[in-house]
Amino acid sequence: MRTGVRLGIDVGKARIGIARSDPHGMLATPVETVTRDAAGTSDLARIVAIAQELDACEAVVGLPLNLRGAATPSTDDASGFAERLAVRLAPLGIAVRLVDERLSTVSAQGQLRQAGKKTKQSRAIIDQAAAVVILQHALDIERASGAAPGRAAEPEPEPQIRRADTETDVVQGEDTQ
């Protein structure tokens, strides 16, 4: 089992739940809920700040597949988010992984109900609880298999602006006139 603090991330349309592991990768605990930013700047910035504060070595993003294991629009959203996060965390040496999160929110809701929390009371923490479920699942997979869970989220390459070779065109244009 690798050592180091890992973050668990549950990406939702309105909120993002964040959890963390202990340095030995044994136990996941809730951290906070971050409001999702449509522009994708403040939410990513906050997650990067949390990763730095906790000296995280990895971020595990839940990949919401349907019950048959097929991709959904939420899967695409989470994958895109993970890729954008990977771009931000790569300079810090923090890897991002995608892990199957089927039924994590349902599991988190059940655990909160068992703890006596009503739905209205748990809305503020349900995303954190789902992030805990995702991260704990990833930690358990790694402990059982000895390999990193899920798959690596590759940073989306930054769009590169190709500069037109205008100088050549101008020179060539002048030569031909």
Side-chain angles (χ1 to χ4, degrees):
M1 182 83 181
R2 299 170 299 153
T3 60
V5 172
R6 292 162 185 82
L7 297 182
I9 301 172
D10 177 51
V11 179
K13 290 181 182 180
R15 293 173 306 277
I16 302 165
I18 312 292
R20 66 165 290 174
S21 73
D22 63 286
H24 303 291
M26 300 300 287
L27 185 63
T29 57
V31 174
E32 75 178 70
T33 300
V34 175
T35 300
R36 184 86 186 257
D37 176 16
T41 54
S42 66
D43 51 4
L44 288 170
R46 180 63 191 137
I47 294 169
V48 169
I50 292 168
Q52 289 177 305
E53 289 167 17
L54 298 175
D55 196 24
C57 66
E58 186 172 80
V60 177
V61 177
L63 188 63
L65 302 169
N66 70 17
L67 292 177
R68 291 186 311 261
T72 67
S74 293
T75 308
D76 297 338
D77 181 46
S79 292
F81 186 88
E83 290 165 359
R84 289 187 301 280
L85 181 61
V87 168
R88 296 278 195 98
L89 292 176
L92 303 173
I94 302 172
V96 177
R97 301 195 66 77
L98 287 155
V99 175
D100 183 353
E101 71 153 67
R102 278 179 271 186
L103 301 177
S104 63
T105 301
V106 173
S107 175
Q109 288 171 335
Q111 290 173 4
L112 290 172
R113 265 195 310 277
Q114 286 178 340
K117 300 282 186 192
K118 294 182 181 175
T119 304
K120 284 186 179 180
Q121 294 172 324
S122 63
R123 280 191 194 134
I125 60 169
I126 191 68
D127 302 298
Q128 291 175 43
V132 167
V133 170
I134 291 164
L135 182 55
Q136 191 63 56
H137 177 65
L139 295 171
D140 294 345
I141 288 171
E142 183 170 342
R143 197 173 306 104
S145 70
R151 65 176 172 84
E154 298 300 326
E156 280 183 348
E158 292 292 325
Q160 294 184 2
I161 299 171
R162 290 193 59 170
R163 188 177 66 117
D165 196 6
T166 55
E167 292 173 13
T168 305
D169 294 341
V170 170
V171 170
Q172 289 175 347
E174 288 174 4
D175 289 342
T176 58
Q177 290 179 350

